[in-house]
Amino acid sequence: MKNNPPITLVKCLKFSQLVFQKKPIILLLLLFLTSFSLSAQTIPKGKANLIEFSSNNSAFKVPEGKTWYIYNIFSNRKTIQGGEETEAGIILKSVNGVVFKKGPIVYASSGNLNFPIIFPEKTSFEFEIFSNPGTKAIMTYIETEN
């Protein structure tokens, strides 16, 4: 019986001879970056709105057939109460009649928050502003059709 040399399944190549040359690597990089951009949040198409409110008129209701994407809430950074400066803050007081004791913070003058907040049709919600009673706030949102 004759000894046959072992069969090699992988051919040894120099690094410069590998299949992954410049063009396939660039294509793979583009596919990788595209997957990140597709997974990133897109801004929905709809009507952009800006509403000014205070503690007295901070209750809202999303109309039927619409969805609201709240992107930001702005207020004074600091207010003066009794001669002292205090930081402003806004919380989500209630949603559909459910009142939160210490609701989620939607604005804090000292930090960043997660947006957007998405409310579907017929949702009612209310904010509470922690500062002077006359303090105004501004909410920006996009209203889309369902």
Side-chain angles (χ1 to χ4, degrees):
M1 195 165 170
K2 199 176 190 189
N3 285 339
N4 291 329
I7 298 173
T8 57
L9 297 176
V10 178
K11 184 178 179 182
C12 293
L13 296 174
K14 293 181 184 178
F15 184 76
S16 62
Q17 295 174 329
L18 291 175
V19 176
F20 295 106
Q21 294 175 353
K22 288 182 182 179
K23 289 182 183 177
I25 289 177
I26 291 173
L27 180 61
L28 289 173
L29 181 62
L30 285 173
L31 289 172
F32 181 72
L33 293 175
T34 303
S35 68
F36 275 119
S37 65
L38 291 175
S39 66
Q41 181 178 348
T42 58
I43 297 175
K45 291 184 180 181
K47 180 182 175 189
N49 295 286
L50 182 80
I51 292 180
E52 182 180 316
F53 65 94
S54 64
S55 290
N56 299 334
N57 64 349
S58 63
F60 302 97
K61 184 168 183 168
V62 180
E64 187 173 344
K66 308 283 185 178
T67 299
W68 283 12
Y69 294 81
I70 299 174
Y71 277 93
N72 216 330
I73 296 176
F74 305 96
S75 184
N76 296 335
R77 287 189 60 103
K78 295 189 179 199
T79 59
I80 299 174
Q81 289 182 330
E84 293 183 23
E85 277 192 355
T86 60
E87 293 198 18
I90 302 172
I91 65 165
L92 186 59
K93 183 177 179 181
S94 68
V95 175
N96 289 336
V98 176
V99 178
F100 303 111
K101 289 183 181 180
K102 294 182 180 180
I105 298 170
V106 294
Y107 173 78
S109 58
S110 60
N112 295 328
L113 306 165
N114 294 325
F115 283 97
I117 301 171
I118 303 168
F119 289 120
E121 65 180 336
K122 300 180 186 177
T123 301
S124 59
F125 58 97
E126 186 175 3
F127 297 115
E128 186 172 349
I129 301 173
F130 290 106
S131 60
N132 288 339
T135 300
K136 303 263 185 202
I138 295 175
M139 174 175 67
T140 60
Y141 69 96
I142 295 177
E143 182 177 82
T144 63
E145 299 281 335
N146 288 348

